[in-house]
């Protein structure tokens, strides 16, 4: 069964304390993996697309990496404004549009 | 540069009433999606349009839900005879079909509360 699992469910860090969020997936073939940020009461905001194992993308304090079974979202020296829920979604080969979503990781950065 | 917009942002209705939500996608985007999201979960796919054609509708979606996208521009999602279980955030997203990732861009959502 196609599945996307994110861990941990929630993560509390001190400002400046670097860490990683995990997105593991089981699909028959990966067409793309997407990371989104979602603030409370708002729609998800697109961050990155990764297509193949070994690929990396960076934006400010965030870096996303991809292997054949999982993706990591590394956050370096986070600030309180990085607090949000981070969602991962996968599009599989043969799917024209549909995404398989994880439940998200709620990240809280304490000043 | 305007993103995806949704209206209203919040809707409170009584059980049994009908509600309609509107979504205006990014202007050059030909694909439009509706999702439902509840607390602590990722978005749940409802339906998908390419231009004005509704190409897919979730099997989980009851007949009380209907969506339209006249002329391939804005879209509406109607829920008839609302139930308390319909309370959720309703999200609209749009994308442009291309050889790339077809990234979906989301609107701010409509929060529905059924009392």
């Amino acid at each position: 069964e196609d599945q996307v699992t994110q861990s941990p469910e929630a993560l509390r860090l001190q400002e400046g304390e670097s860490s990683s969020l995990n997105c593991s997936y089981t699909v028959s073939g990966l067409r793309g993996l997407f990371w989104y940020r979602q603030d409370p009461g708002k729609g998800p905001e697109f961050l990155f697309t990764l297509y193949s194992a070994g690929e990396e993308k960076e934006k400010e304090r965030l870096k996303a990496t991809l292997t054949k079974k999982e993706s990591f979202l590394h956050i370096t020296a986070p600030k309180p404004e990085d607090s949000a829920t981070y969602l991962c979604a996968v599009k599989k080969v043969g799917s024209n549009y549909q995404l398989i979503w994880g439940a998200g990781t709620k990240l809280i950065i304490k000043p | 540069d305007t993103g995806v917009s949704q209206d209203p942002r919040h809707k409170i209705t009584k059980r049994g009433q009908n509600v309609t939500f509107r979504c205006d996608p990014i202007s050059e985007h030909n694909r439009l999606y509706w999702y439902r999201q509840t607390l602590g979960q990722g978005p749940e796919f409802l339906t998908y349009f390419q231009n004005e054609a509704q190409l897919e509708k979730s099997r989980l979606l009851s007949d009380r839900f209907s969506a339209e996208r006249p002329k391939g521009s804005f879209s509406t999602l109607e829920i008839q005879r609302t139930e308390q279980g319909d309370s959720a955030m309703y999200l609209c997203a749009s994308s442009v079909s291309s050889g790339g990732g077809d990234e979906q861009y989301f609107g701010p959502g409509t929060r529905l509360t059924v009392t």
Side-chain angles (χ1 to χ4, degrees), chain A residues 34 36 91 95-99 101, chain B residues 4 6 23 25 29-36 43-51 56 67 69 73 75 77 90-98 101-107:
Chain A
F34 305 84
Y36 286 83
K91 182 184 288 187
S95 171
N96 198 24
Y97 62 91
Q98 195 157 356
L99 300 179
W101 291 85
Chain B
V4 178
Q6 293 186 244
C23 171
H29 285 187
N30 60 336
R31 293 182 169 182
L32 186 146
Y33 315 79
W34 284 99
Y35 291 90
R36 177 170 62 191
E44 175 191 7
F45 171 78
L46 295 179
T47 192
Y48 156 66
F49 291 84
Q50 179 148 322
N51 300 312
E56 186 70 27
R69 193 184 182 197
S73 56
S75 176
L77 176 70
Y90 289 83
L91 295 166
C92 176
S94 69
S95 70
V96 57
S97 55
S98 65
D102 191 20
E103 290 85 2
Q104 297 180 21
Y105 293 86
F106 285 80

Side-chain angles (χ1 to χ4, degrees), chain A residues 13-104:
Chain A
L13 299 172
Q14 288 294 134
E15 184 174 0
E17 181 184 359
S18 301
S19 188
S20 297
L21 314 182
N22 177 265
C23 170
S24 63
Y25 60 91
T26 52
V27 296
S28 50
L30 181 70
R31 185 170 172 182
L33 185 142
F34 305 84
W35 282 99
Y36 286 83
R37 168 192 171 128
Q38 187 172 27
D39 293 302
K42 298 187 178 180
E45 174 190 349
F46 171 73
L47 293 174
F48 305 110
T49 307
L50 300 168
Y51 295 102
S52 56
E55 188 174 1
E56 298 183 353
K57 294 268 179 81
E58 283 189 68
K59 179 180 179 179
E60 296 180 353
R61 295 177 292 281
L62 298 176
K63 184 168 82 171
T65 62
L66 182 64
T67 73
K68 288 186 178 180
K69 293 183 179 180
E70 58 192 348
S71 176
F72 292 94
L73 185 65
H74 307 277
I75 182 160
T76 303
K79 299 181 178 181
E81 54 262 41
D82 295 320
S83 297
T85 295
Y86 290 85
L87 293 163
C88 168
V90 163
K91 182 184 288 187
K92 65 177 190 176
V93 170
S95 171
N96 198 24
Y97 62 91
Q98 195 157 356
L99 300 179
I100 304 165
W101 291 85

Side-chain angles (χ1 to χ4, degrees), chain B:
Chain B
D1 177 30
T2 57
V4 178
S5 62
Q6 293 186 244
D7 184 69
R9 295 293 309 278
H10 304 274
K11 179 71 176 178
I12 299 174
T13 191
K14 293 185 176 180
R15 185 167 52 93
Q17 297 294 305
N18 300 342
V19 294
T20 300
F21 309 141
R22 176 178 171 124
C23 171
D24 287 89
I26 294 171
S27 59
E28 62 269 26
H29 285 187
N30 60 336
R31 293 182 169 182
L32 186 146
Y33 315 79
W34 284 99
Y35 291 90
R36 177 170 62 191
Q37 188 179 29
T38 53
L39 201 61
Q41 299 298 316
E44 175 191 7
F45 171 78
L46 295 179
T47 192
Y48 156 66
F49 291 84
Q50 179 148 322
N51 300 312
E52 66 275 9
Q54 187 175 20
L55 297 186
E56 186 70 27
K57 185 175 175 180
S58 170
R59 288 169 291 179
L60 301 175
L61 210 58
S62 79
D63 292 340
R64 297 184 296 107
F65 288 71
S66 62
E68 294 182 341
R69 193 184 182 197
K71 302 179 182 178
S73 56
F74 71 93
S75 176
T76 58
L77 176 70
E78 181 182 16
I79 308 174
Q80 295 182 327
R81 305 180 303 281
T82 52
E83 301 172 357
Q84 288 191 322
D86 297 331
S87 295
M89 175 75 90
Y90 289 83
L91 295 166
C92 176
S94 69
S95 70
V96 57
S97 55
S98 65
D102 191 20
E103 290 85 2
Q104 297 180 21
Y105 293 86
F106 285 80
T110 294
R111 169 75 63 189
L112 174 65
T113 302
V114 181
T115 61

